[in-house]
Amino acid sequence: MKKAFVIGHPIAHSRSPLIHGYWLRKHGIPGSYERIDVPPEALRDFLATMRDRGFAGGNVTVPHKEAVFRLLGRVTDRAAQLQAVNTLWFEGDTLVGDNTDITGFMAHLDDSLGEGWDASTRTALVLGAGGAARAIVAGLAGRSLERIVVANRTLAKARELVEGMATPTGPTLEALDWDDLERALPKTDLLVNTTTLGMAGQPPLKLTLGRLPRHGIVCDIVYVPLETELLATARALGLRRVDGLGMLLHQAVPGFSHWFGVTPKVDPELRRLIEADIVGHR
Ligand code: NAP
């Protein structure tokens, strides 16, 4: 029986066991996927002994993503770019780390908006400059956009992010002061919230979305609640919307495929299962 895990500290909140449990049942695989609370001081030992304990790999969540990146001898280019690891598996005897947030976010955008959405999207405005923002800017930078603007409450972090991600051939990257946000909206084709604003227990993200062009797309990666105030406003204005849950589901696909040998699909039944769990815990 193949075994995988998600490690974090704390870990009780993780919905990954529900996602992987669904795919294990759906594909009739006699495997397991468990939550393991690993405090920071036990991380190195956990990684060193996980194979002896029968694990084929697993997911890594807060607060271990950067520490695992530093502990591994081999990581993918994506993990190196973000300096954070969220998925582990073995290649031969070597433990390999990847970061699947980039492909998770982009796969969900492509699924939600349809192939070719990026051909008519010139400017993306990304709000926030934390770990999730780095993945999203990296993903968008690989597409045919002209500009990616990063606005953050702490401007220095937005500057650091764009300086670290700039490529000679990709879109122009710019940092924007949080106070100038409203003025940037009329020239924004795709707005992505990666801040914690709008999350249950946090203040909402208040923006005058009516300033966006009529073809504007509003994406919020917060998924608790499923529809944030930002997305509800976008819906009322008839703007195209992309929610945060799909990113969570899509980022799980590569890990399952490495550990259990089947590439699973993000299907409506999985979505309904996780939606019910989120609504049930409110
Ligand atoms: P993080 O590294 O802690 O970054 C948090 C960001 O939010 C920072 O840019 C921070 O700005 C900003 N922020 C916090 N409070 C703010 C406020 N009151 N006003 C303005 N900005 C504020 O967190 P993260 O890992 O990037 O995650 C961010 C959000 O994305 C969380 O809600 C998380 O649940 C969600 N997420 C979703 C997925 C998914 O699969 N859908 C994946 C990853 C993350 P400063 O730099 O100024 O502090």
Side-chain angles (χ1 to χ4, degrees):
M1 187 170 103
K2 288 183 179 160
K3 295 198 319 178
F5 57 74
V6 55
I7 53 168
H9 184 67
I11 196 61
H13 64 282
S14 173
R15 291 191 167 84
S16 294
L18 268 182
I19 299 171
H20 292 286
Y22 168 82
W23 284 330
L24 284 170
R25 285 193 303 282
K26 178 162 179 164
H27 294 285
I29 297 171
S32 74
Y33 183 97
E34 57 190 280
R35 281 187 190 92
I36 306 179
D37 192 316
V38 177
E41 61 277 14
L43 185 61
R44 185 185 288 269
D45 186 57
F46 179 86
L47 295 179
T49 58
M50 59 180 264
R51 196 165 217 190
D52 293 342
R53 295 164 65 187
F55 289 112
N59 288 122
V60 179
T61 188
V62 181
H64 297 320
K65 293 183 186 186
E66 291 79 14
V68 169
F69 168 76
R70 289 191 297 270
L71 286 168
L72 291 185
R74 190 151 143 222
V75 296
T76 62
D77 290 346
R78 286 183 297 259
Q81 190 178 16
L82 304 183
Q83 304 203 357
V85 158
N86 73 350
T87 304
L88 295 168
W89 68 89
F90 284 98
E91 283 181 12
D93 289 334
T94 307
L95 186 57
V96 182
D98 190 13
N99 193 309
T100 62
D101 277 343
I102 299 179
T103 48
F105 176 73
M106 297 311 294
H108 180 45
L109 269 192
D110 291 343
D111 244 28
S112 305
L113 300 171
E115 291 287 315
W117 64 268
D118 45 342
S120 54
T121 304
R122 285 159 58 178
T123 298
L125 174 55
V126 176
L127 311 184
R134 290 177 62 78
I136 282 159
V137 170
L140 293 174
R143 298 297 179 93
S144 56
L145 311 185
E146 283 176 15
R147 287 166 75 221
I148 303 174
V149 181
V150 179
N152 194 45
R153 179 179 61 175
T154 311
L155 179 60
K157 279 171 69 181
R159 287 202 174 116
E160 197 183 313
L161 191 158
V162 301
E163 279 160 20
M165 295 262 170
T167 64
T169 51
T172 312
L173 299 185
E174 296 164 31
L176 180 76
D177 199 295
W178 192 254
D179 292 337
D180 294 331
L181 208 49
E182 291 278 341
R183 278 198 288 272
L185 294 178
K187 290 215 159 87
T188 296
D189 304 299
L190 169 67
L191 175 73
V192 187
N193 175 43
T194 81
T195 73
T196 50
L197 292 173
M199 223 172 124
Q202 299 293 321
L205 174 56
K206 298 268 189 203
L207 283 178
T208 318
L209 289 186
R211 291 184 174 200
L212 285 173
R214 290 187 62 80
H215 65 264
I217 302 162
V218 178
C219 175
D220 199 336
I221 70 159
V222 170
Y223 58 89
V224 182
L226 287 164
E227 187 183 58
T228 57
E229 197 173 308
L230 185 77
L231 289 177
T233 308
R235 177 163 53 82
L237 289 167
L239 296 167
R240 280 185 295 171
R241 287 152 290 129
V242 180
D243 71 12
L245 181 55
M247 176 180 175
L248 177 77
L249 304 178
H250 280 280
Q251 64 75 32
V253 170
F256 190 92
S257 164
H258 281 295
W259 315 316
F260 301 116
V262 172
T263 301
K265 289 250 176 320
V266 172
D267 59 23
E269 199 183 336
L270 173 63
R271 223 193 123 88
R272 279 195 296 274
L273 179 78
I274 308 302
E275 281 179 1
D277 185 68
I278 290 171
V279 172
H281 280 84
R282 283 176 72 189

